[in-house]
Amino acid sequence: MIVLHCELKSSKNSRRVVRLRNGRTLVLKSQAASEQDKFFDKELPAHAEEWKKLIEGHSCPIKVGFYVYRQTKRRWDWMNILQGLADAMVKHMYLEDDDAYHFTPIFLGWDVDKNDPRIEISVVK
C-alpha cells in the first residue's frame, strides 16, 4: 500500500480566472490544486518502486483501491477529488492512461482524521 499524506483537492471544481494584458482570459486550476500537483510531482516518484511491486502480475485494467482520510466531514465528490491524482499517476507512469482500458478506480471508503489527512492507494485483485 502507498500512503500519501495530504488533503486531496478537487482540480475540477476549484478554478481561478486570470485576465492577461492582451485581453485574453485563462481558466486555471486553483492555487491549492496547483500546490497539490507539486506535491504529487515530489511524492509519486518516491514510491515508484513500491508501485511496481504492487502491480506485478496484474493486467489491464489495473484495479486501484483508494481509501481517503479527510480533515473534516465536509461534502465532496469521489470523481472530482481523484481526477488530479489519476492524472498524476499517468504523468509519473504509474498508469499507461486513466481510461477504462487501463484503470479501474475502486472506492474503498473514507473517514475523518483531522490530524493526518491522507490517501491510501492499493491494487485490488
Side-chain angles (χ1 to χ4, degrees):
M1 176 186 323
I2 294 172
V3 180
L4 301 177
H5 295 272
C6 69
E7 175 84 10
L8 285 178
K9 308 291 183 190
S10 171
S11 59
K12 178 182 174 186
N13 289 343
S14 50
R15 297 282 180 166
R16 58 189 163 133
V17 177
V18 177
R19 299 201 191 285
L20 302 177
R21 290 183 186 168
N22 65 6
R24 289 186 56 211
T25 302
L26 296 177
V27 179
L28 304 173
K29 287 182 179 180
S30 70
Q31 185 67 31
S34 295
E35 288 173 11
Q36 180 173 264
D37 287 347
K38 290 176 188 172
F39 173 82
F40 292 149
D41 287 347
K42 183 182 112 188
E43 286 296 313
L44 289 179
H47 294 282
E49 290 302 315
E50 187 177 354
W51 176 256
K52 287 177 186 174
K53 290 177 186 173
L54 286 174
I55 64 168
E56 198 171 285
H58 291 270
S59 59
C60 288
I62 296 174
K63 296 178 180 119
V64 183
F66 298 96
Y67 199 99
V68 175
Y69 291 87
R70 307 276 295 163
Q71 283 183 317
T72 68
K73 290 184 179 183
R74 184 175 160 204
R75 289 179 59 139
W76 55 280
D77 181 304
W78 275 109
M79 298 305 195
N80 294 345
I81 209 164
L82 287 179
Q83 186 60 55
L85 178 54
D87 290 342
M89 291 175 79
V90 171
K91 178 180 178 181
H92 293 283
M93 296 182 282
Y94 278 47
L95 303 167
E96 187 174 332
D97 198 341
D98 59 354
D99 65 11
Y101 294 102
H102 297 94
F103 168 62
T104 302
I106 308 292
F107 309 120
L108 299 174
W110 73 282
D111 206 344
V112 175
D113 186 339
K114 67 180 181 176
N115 297 317
D116 186 18
R118 63 194 179 276
I119 184 160
E120 297 175 350
I121 305 168
S122 58
V123 176
V124 180
K125 292 184 180 187

